[in-house]
Amino acid sequence: MDRLRDVVRAGRRLYLPVQDWAIGLFGKVARRGNYIRERIEGDDPLRDASRAAIYVHFDRGGIVHDYVVHQLCELVGAGYRVTFVSNAPRLPVESRSRVQPLCKELIWRFNIGYDFGAYKDGIALIADLKRLDSLVLMNDSVYGPFWDLQDTLGKIDESTTDFWGIVDSFENRYHIQTFFMVFLPNALRSTVFKNFWSDLPYINHRMWVIRNAEVKLTQILQDAQLKAGVLAPYGAVAATARERLARQVPPGSEHGAFERFRAQIMKEGVVNPTQFFWDVLITDYACPFIKRDLLTSNPNDVPGTSLWPQVIVAHSEYDVSMIARHLER
């Protein structure tokens, strides 16, 4: 019986690597095409900028919402020359006209490879990565920024940082979450960064992308002795959240759900900080974003998320009606 258990455990350990290898092989063999439907010239307001951003958009109707326009304006205001990459099934004229004044160009592509496929195609269109002082990868899965993006980016210590993000996570090994990442010259000029993107296959499998793209990107850069940094380190954020939860009295209507949530956090297990610690990130760490799916579906049943407007308004001048309008649609 013990030997059988050992065999089962060994099989489980091998399953994901074998599955990932097979899926990756499929991508490399079967998906070698060009998934760009159309390239559309933008007004390119920062033609000579030494900073670039790849912004990834997806909306089933191809709508460019107000919160997205705000994000593009913030990137331009921070000095970033933006390539807008849309994975939407359609990209109507109205959407194009909202984006063109703010961007170098618009790339409309098939949704193959999800955000990482879009990042890959956007990066490939940058003529010379090595001349850049900074590259931002960002997608529309977050609302914000709630404060001036340039001020947030000013918190990066470039003397000790080669790549940077808003939050890090220990789910599926340590990594910086890729809804917003910044790469500085040492990373941009590295062979591992170049090879990661050139070798990355186009895969439409969510967990494969998390393990082999999002997590792997941080891992290979660290293995190459490149230094990571984040605005809100997981350990500090989790400690602040636990301290707050220990003394918090839940409302009567949510007592049961709150106690279950508190017990889960107090176990000191690894959780997704953008979901479980969303309010602490905003109030204590000036995190400029909140995840969209936290408000649309709340996948982890985190209590208190209905208070998001009050939390944001109490700490910033961000127009929360942009979020409300998107949620209504």
Side-chain angles (χ1 to χ4, degrees), residues 54 119 123-124 126 129-130 132 135-137 162-163 181-200 217-218 220-221 224 226:
I54 310 297
Y119 286 150
I123 289 171
I126 297 176
L129 281 176
K130 294 182 179 180
L132 294 179
L135 172 68
V136 164
L137 300 183
D162 298 316
F163 63 107
M181 282 189 79
V182 183
F183 301 89
L184 299 173
N186 284 343
L188 294 172
R189 294 167 188 158
S190 68
T191 302
V192 291
F193 184 84
K194 177 183 176 182
N195 290 346
F196 172 84
W197 293 107
S198 62
D199 295 343
L200 182 70
L217 178 56
T218 294
I220 65 163
L221 293 176
L226 293 163

Side-chain angles (χ1 to χ4, degrees), residues 59 62 106 117 232 261:
D59 182 87
L106 290 68
F261 174 75

Side-chain angles (χ1 to χ4, degrees), residues 43-52 79-81 104 131-133:
D43 291 353
D44 202 3
L46 296 176
R47 191 175 302 274
D48 298 321
S50 60
R51 300 176 179 181
Y80 284 85
R81 190 183 188 200
K104 170 194 168 204
R131 76 168 186 84
L132 294 179
D133 295 331

Side-chain angles (χ1 to χ4, degrees), residues 164-314:
W164 186 90
I166 302 298
V167 293
D168 51 7
S169 173
F170 287 86
E171 290 187 307
N172 298 289
R173 299 183 73 189
Y174 176 79
H175 64 283
I176 293 175
Q177 293 196 4
T178 54
F179 62 83
F180 189 96
M181 282 189 79
V182 183
F183 301 89
L184 299 173
N186 284 343
L188 294 172
R189 294 167 188 158
S190 68
T191 302
V192 291
F193 184 84
K194 177 183 176 182
N195 290 346
F196 172 84
W197 293 107
S198 62
D199 295 343
L200 182 70
Y202 296 98
I203 301 294
N204 278 26
H205 186 288
R206 179 175 175 272
M207 292 309 301
W208 189 98
V209 172
I210 290 172
R211 288 190 295 267
N212 297 278
E214 181 170 32
V215 175
K216 186 177 179 180
L217 178 56
T218 294
Q219 292 287 319
I220 65 163
L221 293 176
Q222 286 190 315
D223 289 346
Q225 307 304 309
L226 293 163
K227 299 181 289 295
V230 291
L231 175 68
Y234 182 90
V237 176
T240 302
R242 291 185 184 110
E243 181 182 346
R244 180 181 295 181
L245 283 168
R247 61 176 188 269
Q248 190 171 347
V249 179
S253 61
E254 296 186 359
H255 186 271
F258 180 85
E259 289 302 335
R260 288 190 294 273
F261 174 75
R262 174 154 55 188
Q264 183 175 4
I265 299 304
M266 292 304 181
K267 289 178 182 176
E268 298 194 4
V270 173
V271 297
N272 184 337
T274 58
Q275 300 284 330
F276 287 83
F277 307 143
W278 69 274
D279 51 346
V280 172
L281 285 169
I282 295 171
T283 60
D284 292 61
Y285 293 88
C287 174
F289 301 111
I290 188 170
K291 288 292 285 185
R292 197 173 68 184
D293 65 348
L294 179 71
L295 306 187
T296 57
S297 61
N298 194 5
N300 296 287
D301 295 322
V302 175
T305 55
S306 62
L307 298 175
W308 66 265
Q310 295 94 310
V311 172
I312 295 170
V313 168

Side-chain angles (χ1 to χ4, degrees), residues 84-102:
F84 181 89
V85 186
S86 180
N87 285 338
R90 55 192 297 265
L91 195 62
V93 172
E94 312 89 80
S95 295
R96 300 178 187 213
S97 64
R98 300 199 80 189
V99 171
Q100 282 177 294
L102 300 167

